[in-house]
Amino acid sequence: MKRTVALVSVLLLGLGACGGGDDDDGAAGGDGGATGEITFLTFETPNLTPEYWEEAIGRVTDEHPDIEVERLVSPTDDRTEYARQLLTSGQFPDVLIAVSPAGFAEAGNLYAWTDEELADFLFPTNGAVNGEVYQLPANTQTIPVVYYNKTMFEQAGISELPTTYDDLLAVAEQLKAAGIKPFVAGGQHDSIGPLWAGILGTEVYAENPDWMHDRRAGDVSFCDDEFKAGAAKLAELASNGYIDPADVSRDHAAVQEAFLAGDGAMYPMGNWFAAGVDTAEEPPPFEIGQFFWPSDDGSMVVPAFTGGGLLVNADAEHLDAARTFALEFQLDADNLDNSARFDGLFPAIEGWEPPSDVGPTYQEGFDLYQEGLEADAIVPAFGFEAGDDAMLPGVGESWDASAVDLITGNKTVDEVCQFLDSEWEAAS
């Protein structure tokens, strides 16, 4: 892997004229212009600590001592909105991670990666915007996996996992009857979004994997039967008492903590949750199982997203340094392994395999994903797509808010569908 990265870095030497950066001091660097101070927008979670980021950055800067990195931290879970604020204030970072390219790419704010730079990525065109790739398609995430508390299932007398949606409702009713909260949920994108992505994966994308492209073309709408059925299912889970509307006040970290503390039996979440379990100082006092959100007919549907990697500011003062740092950060073998260990990601890089010391929760989720690949059951993860595969800029936030409205009863299904269509038209 190090050899591949080195070849990519050499390739960058001939690309100094690309993009909008101004690298006047490029010749001073020992790595062909990868010189200068850059800013790197990161985020922190219970799993991705400051120490994690500093060590990951250090693995690259140790190889490139002429690159200095100032690490920035998003103050909220909405990293994309924070990046917009920084752009508006003239402080757009040189390198960013896990920020949606939508809007930024169309405005010319991001560097477009070349085919040669993307040679080591398994899905090099994922997240493309108008045919150009601005975010390194580095990792695959299954969104959601339904994590469940095996002890609570046993207490409720549940001996078989649900394989159809009706089975899931029966399990939820059985848990409720036993005095156990069926679902642990929250109100932010990374806490309620995965649950709704599971529903919409079975209702929308399983029937039409190109639904979002058709929405962009105006051929479908949020008020069509498929999406409305998904919205109705989310509202039904709350109206039946399977989701507590009061829980929407919790953020991502609070929801994870609640599930691990035994607040409820099922936790639909991205596969990154596995890292929180496997790296915990103390394991939860119950065994955790996993299954994919069930479809009506029981066929396997696996919503997944590949992307989420690093992006580079096209106008970075030290563009060569920013590009070199981003690629080597993303392809570094230790960083890839640690993204599996500490963030539960499935690196979408040629030749990568899980290290032998990944935790059992991660390994079980990885094996489930492999089953989905073999069954050709992978569909997009609604609300987590990027580029041309995603909702128009700004609509994703309205989609998140609509999930909360459906759970609290603040809006009906029809009102949510009409609202999202109007937001789409405004965005377009």
Side-chain angles (χ1 to χ4, degrees):
M1 186 65 70
K2 286 289 188 183
R3 183 164 55 251
T4 299
V5 171
L7 289 173
V8 170
S9 296
V10 171
L11 176 67
L12 290 175
L13 307 190
L15 298 176
C18 300
D22 181 12
D23 261 318
D24 292 337
D25 58 352
D31 43 21
T35 297
E37 182 175 342
I38 61 174
T39 53
F40 179 24
L41 178 61
T42 66
F43 61 98
E44 294 176 1
T45 71
N47 309 330
L48 304 184
T49 63
E51 293 77 18
Y52 170 92
W53 290 110
E54 295 302 334
E55 290 175 5
I57 291 168
R59 276 187 278 275
V60 179
T61 55
D62 285 348
E63 297 291 328
H64 297 273
D66 290 332
I67 299 178
E68 298 180 21
V69 179
E70 177 186 356
R71 187 173 75 90
L72 310 177
V73 181
S74 175
T76 72
D77 286 343
D78 193 343
R79 299 177 291 273
T80 300
E81 177 57 31
Y82 183 60
R84 289 195 192 104
Q85 295 173 17
L86 293 176
L87 177 65
T88 301
S89 64
Q91 303 174 79
F92 197 51
D94 299 314
V95 181
L96 312 87
I97 189 169
V99 167
S100 171
F104 301 111
E106 293 89 340
N109 304 127
L110 299 176
Y111 169 74
W113 298 100
T114 67
D115 292 343
E116 291 82 3
E117 290 168 326
L118 296 170
D120 292 308
F121 295 84
L122 289 175
F123 308 104
T125 61
N126 269 42
V129 177
N130 296 325
E132 298 284 355
V133 176
Y134 297 92
Q135 183 168 36
L136 293 172
N139 304 292
T140 298
Q141 300 165 313
T142 46
I143 310 171
V145 177
V146 182
Y147 297 93
Y148 69 97
N149 183 320
K150 289 188 176 183
T151 299
M152 287 183 171
F153 269 47
E154 292 172 2
Q155 290 172 347
I158 300 167
S159 58
E160 295 184 3
L161 295 179
T163 58
T164 69
Y165 187 69
D166 283 344
D167 291 344
L168 182 67
L169 293 179
V171 163
E173 185 61 33
Q174 201 166 339
L175 288 163
K176 180 184 173 185
I180 298 170
K181 182 188 294 184
F183 288 99
V184 177
Q188 295 185 356
H189 177 70
D190 286 344
S191 53
I192 194 58
L195 191 157
W196 202 5
I199 295 173
L200 294 176
T202 60
E203 288 295 322
V204 176
Y205 276 141
E207 298 298 323
N208 179 9
D210 295 322
W211 190 92
M212 197 64 71
H213 291 265
D214 290 344
R215 184 65 191 87
R216 284 173 171 258
D219 296 333
V220 298
S221 84
F222 290 100
C223 288
D224 288 350
D225 290 344
E226 298 85 358
F227 187 89
K228 287 180 67 173
K233 281 186 173 180
L234 180 58
E236 178 187 38
L237 291 176
S239 64
N240 286 349
Y242 305 150
I243 298 176
D244 186 351
D247 287 350
V248 299
S249 63
R250 298 190 296 202
D251 63 15
H252 175 67
V255 179
Q256 175 172 308
E257 182 180 346
F259 176 70
L260 292 174
D263 182 59
M266 291 183 283
Y267 180 36
M269 182 46 56
N271 65 294
W272 55 81
F273 170 67
V277 178
D278 291 334
T279 63
E281 292 184 5
E282 294 185 11
F286 54 86
E287 190 176 351
I288 295 174
Q290 305 176 40
F291 60 90
F292 287 125
W293 190 272
S295 62
D296 287 344
D297 64 4
S299 59
M300 180 183 286
V301 178
V302 184
F305 166 70
T306 298
L310 276 68
L311 314 94
V312 169
N313 179 352
D315 296 314
E317 180 179 0
H318 305 295
L319 182 58
D320 286 339
R323 285 188 314 217
T324 297
F325 173 82
L327 270 175
E328 298 211 15
F329 183 98
Q330 205 72 89
L331 294 175
D332 180 86
D334 289 332
N335 282 355
L336 290 174
D337 288 350
N338 282 336
S339 73
R341 295 185 184 102
F342 298 105
D343 205 17
L345 303 177
F346 304 151
I349 306 298
E350 292 282 356
W352 184 86
E353 294 181 0
S356 60
D357 62 346
V358 294
T361 313
Y362 177 94
Q363 189 64 56
E364 182 178 351
F366 185 79
D367 291 342
L368 276 176
Y369 171 60
Q370 296 302 309
E371 290 180 23
L373 285 174
E374 293 172 6
D376 195 25
I378 308 299
V379 300
F382 206 109
F384 293 84
E385 317 95 321
D388 296 338
D389 299 326
M391 287 181 270
L392 295 177
V395 181
E397 291 84 346
S398 299
W399 180 77
D400 291 332
S402 293
V404 173
D405 287 337
L406 289 168
I407 291 172
T408 60
N410 188 49
K411 287 182 180 176
T412 66
V413 169
D414 284 337
E415 288 171 338
V416 161
C417 296
Q418 292 163 10
F419 168 68
L420 289 174
D421 273 338
S422 67
E423 291 291 286
W424 187 281
E425 293 307 316
S428 62

